[in-house]
Amino acid sequence: MPQYSISPTGERFQLPGTEDYSIEFERLKRLALEQRELGREIVVVMGLGFVGAVMAAVVADTENKEGKPTKFVIGMQRNATAQLPELLEAPLLNRGISTVSSEDPEVSSIINRCANEKKTLTATYTYDALKLGDVIVVDVQCDYLKESLGNVREGRADMAALEESLEIIGQNIDPHALVLIETTVAPGTTEQVAYPIIKKMFRKRGLRNDPLVAHSFERVMPGENYVSSIRDFWRVCSGVNEEATRRVVKFLNEVINTEKFPLTVLDRPIESETAKIVENSFRATLLAFLDEWSLFSERNGVDLLKVIQAIKVRPTHSNIIFPGPGIGGYCLPKDGGLGLWAYRHIHGFEDDIFKITPLAININDTRSLHVAQLTRDALRNMGRPIASAEILVLGASYREDVGDTRYSGSELIVRRLTEMGAELRVHDPYVLHWWEFEKQDEYPASSQSLKRFFRGQEKLKDLRVEQNLEKALHGIDSILFAVRHKHYLDLHPDEVVRNAGGPLAVIDCFGILDDAKIKRYFELGCEVKGLGRGHVKRIKDQVRAEREQPKKPPKG
Ligand SMILES: NC(=O)c1ccc[n+]([C@@H]2O[C@H](COP(=O)([O-])OP(=O)(O)OC[C@H]3O[C@@H](n4cnc5c(N)ncnc54)[C@H](O)[C@@H]3O)[C@@H](O)[C@H]2O)c1
């Protein structure tokens, strides 16, 4: 029986059968031969997710001073049997279509240009592709699995996909190929996990070579400057030996705009790996630290948004950021955990030196639950119970103007409010399928869904992302501004209330509403609350006072 993978648009892709693999390898060998004759280096990018798909295109777009392409890229995506989005990367990329949805128009144009016009990019599902690469770029995931909600210490690094990839690499690559690990890993992984795995595989193949392994982490920001955040941004790198370092520096100088954004070369890969973890733990800590000030603001009539804007003007404090409803995304919730885990399980220390990093992650992981409390209270003020209230969440992704839903604050908001008996709807212009719900029994992996921390979650597998905002608004009791997508910034209160069919509870989770809008919602009979926005009470009192003021009799 042929197996299919179905794209979000409903198109069916047949999964390859055993005989297809050798035909596919022949195709790649032919292509590689042609490309080498053109003087191009063959680069295999392993893992075509949010990072790999765009990195593959950036490498494929590389040109020399005469404007001639210098690299041919084979994107390699593992094949699985479940109908999950990852299966579609290879066939869609081969058509020049991006599977990552983003506000950055360069994502589609660079993929289309390299796949269809320059013909420097192809994608495949066969590991045999690795045999052809001069450089192998590893962009597979390395997860951190948490056993409980709000306690990162109870968890472990999940190196399975990475270790499997490294074994396959060791079994297949040319012994002189450079393996560049871009995955964010537990510090120590390149030298103490990757290098030994590949070396062991080399020995099994009778090869005496020292594997050339290097690390250089990604700082990609999916969003408006997705492509540029890979190509035009500072990189840090390091190799396991002199030759690996020389090769990684050469490669990055060729594919990244290092003239404007110079490379930092560190002595050892553990330093590059630690730089990534510290960088993200720093940001997670900055955000977590504001959670307590957010509560302080709510309880004392302070608008945290304005406080932050006031502080930001001071150049030394310009990176202070208003924390949204939970600090999601793939990286910030897990990276500090990889550091804690490495200290014990790679480096063998028993003591507990980490205080701030785990605390920050725990605070961030549970911040969104407070949104459910605000919603409950706002509805209660309107005399409506939360149970069976119709609630619309605006935004499913973890940050503005991207379609990435991983560990988004919105997921926890939906789960908690469902547990409290509410009926949830969601709108997101960037997300067609919210796999965390639709496939909650198998995505991100079996028994890894956040579903396990809440009760009454079964019905959420029927949750569908509404694309028509007007329809989504119809008849709701409450609206939650959860993500700063540009589509929501100018939504007018009159339009919201009209489409909802009457006054509703409005919850601003991300400093989206200005004072004029908050005032208008109150004037329309709504209740408004917001994370860190204690001043709404003042606006409410002002509206009430204006309403109650006796009308002055006309003069004369
Ligand atoms: N997403 C971001 O914004 C971001 C930013 C900076 C760094 N990173 C880091 O980059 C790495 C990759 O992140 P991502 O967001 O692209 O993850 P992802 O889950 O979107 O992509 C990983 C891909 O690798 C594939 N894969 C796994 N094992 C494979 C194998 N054996 N062969 C071929 N493919 C395989 C998976 O199927 C998946 O498609 C992570 O370490 C992440 O922490 C991500």
Side-chain angles (χ1 to χ4, degrees), residues 341-400:
W341 183 87
Y343 185 67
R344 178 158 299 181
H345 296 284
I346 294 185
H347 305 289
F349 291 99
E350 282 300 318
D351 59 342
D352 181 11
I353 56 168
F354 289 103
K355 311 257 173 325
I356 293 168
T357 301
L359 182 63
I361 292 179
N362 294 345
I363 289 170
N364 292 340
D365 279 359
T366 47
R367 175 165 161 84
S368 55
L369 299 176
H370 182 51
V371 174
Q373 297 166 1
L374 292 181
T375 314
R376 174 202 64 200
D377 295 348
L379 282 165
R380 188 190 282 146
N381 288 355
M382 298 180 80
R384 301 183 200 174
I386 184 109
S388 79
E390 293 276 352
I391 298 175
L392 171 64
V393 177
L394 292 184
S397 52
Y398 82 93
R399 69 185 294 259
E400 69 272 19

Side-chain angles (χ1 to χ4, degrees), residues 308-527:
I308 286 177
Q309 279 157 0
I311 295 170
K312 247 177 157 26
V313 295
R314 190 181 159 168
T316 51
H317 289 51
S318 60
N319 65 354
I320 189 166
I321 18 179
F322 185 90
I327 314 310
Y330 184 46
C331 299
L332 261 53
K334 74 169 166 60
D335 287 357
L338 291 174
L340 264 65
W341 183 87
Y343 185 67
R344 178 158 299 181
H345 296 284
I346 294 185
H347 305 289
F349 291 99
E350 282 300 318
D351 59 342
D352 181 11
I353 56 168
F354 289 103
K355 311 257 173 325
I356 293 168
T357 301
L359 182 63
I361 292 179
N362 294 345
I363 289 170
N364 292 340
D365 279 359
T366 47
R367 175 165 161 84
S368 55
L369 299 176
H370 182 51
V371 174
Q373 297 166 1
L374 292 181
T375 314
R376 174 202 64 200
D377 295 348
L379 282 165
R380 188 190 282 146
N381 288 355
M382 298 180 80
R384 301 183 200 174
I386 184 109
S388 79
E390 293 276 352
I391 298 175
L392 171 64
V393 177
L394 292 184
S397 52
Y398 82 93
R399 69 185 294 259
E400 69 272 19
D401 301 328
V402 297
D404 186 350
T405 54
R406 290 180 290 179
Y407 304 106
S408 75
S410 300
E411 179 181 352
L412 245 65
I413 295 173
V414 168
R415 293 201 178 281
R416 173 64 102 213
L417 285 170
T418 299
E419 187 175 64
M420 291 162 78
E423 295 295 329
L424 271 295
R425 300 179 197 179
V426 63
H427 174 273
D428 194 309
Y430 299 97
V431 179
L432 286 178
H433 290 269
W434 201 351
W435 299 112
E436 280 80 352
F437 291 108
E438 268 188 53
K439 302 265 179 196
Q440 62 179 356
D441 295 323
E442 63 216 72
Y443 185 82
S446 140
S447 62
Q448 282 308 318
S449 167
L450 292 175
K451 167 188 164 190
R452 67 194 192 282
F453 300 126
F454 299 87
R455 69 181 185 92
Q457 303 287 298
E458 274 319 306
K459 65 178 178 185
L460 286 174
K461 56 178 187 294
D462 299 322
L463 185 75
R464 294 293 176 269
V465 185
E466 182 55 68
Q467 297 299 317
N468 181 333
L469 185 54
E470 213 172 288
K471 198 168 146 212
L473 285 164
H474 186 74
I476 52 169
D477 297 293
S478 178
I479 187 168
L480 274 50
F481 288 87
V483 185
R484 291 184 62 88
H485 287 330
K486 63 174 191 279
H487 310 69
Y488 305 144
L489 303 182
D490 295 326
L491 258 188
H492 200 274
D494 291 75
E495 186 189 338
V496 171
V497 174
R498 191 178 55 250
N499 283 311
L504 66 165
V506 180
I507 314 297
D508 183 1
C509 312
F510 229 131
I512 291 173
L513 302 179
D514 59 23
D515 289 0
K517 288 204 185 78
I518 295 172
K519 183 163 187 253
R520 185 65 190 145
Y521 276 116
F522 280 124
E523 284 168 355
L524 292 165
C526 300
E527 182 66 20

Side-chain angles (χ1 to χ4, degrees), residues 46-47 49-51 76-78 86 127 139-141 161 165 183-184 218 220 222 276 330-331 334 406:
M46 195 172 188
F50 283 93
V51 174
M76 203 264 115
Q77 176 61 42
R78 71 171 166 190
E86 62 184 31
Y127 289 132
D139 278 325
V140 307
Q141 72 277 27
S165 305
T183 302
T184 305
E218 273 294 351
V220 54
K276 175 66 180 180
Y330 184 46
C331 299
K334 74 169 166 60
R406 290 180 290 179

Side-chain angles (χ1 to χ4, degrees), residues 34-97:
E34 284 165 22
Q35 296 291 328
R36 277 196 206 288
E37 277 168 12
L38 292 168
R40 294 175 189 164
E41 191 172 42
I42 311 295
V43 179
V44 178
V45 176
M46 195 172 188
L48 299 177
F50 283 93
V51 174
V54 184
M55 176 64 182
V58 166
V59 178
D61 206 34
T62 308
E63 294 176 347
N64 59 17
K65 294 220 159 54
E66 291 78 51
K68 295 251 162 33
T70 56
K71 312 274 178 215
F72 179 72
V73 176
I74 308 176
M76 203 264 115
Q77 176 61 42
R78 71 171 166 190
N79 217 348
T81 46
Q83 290 181 359
L84 289 173
E86 62 184 31
L87 300 178
L88 303 165
E89 257 101 30
L92 288 179
L93 219 65
N94 274 335
R95 289 188 199 165
I97 298 170

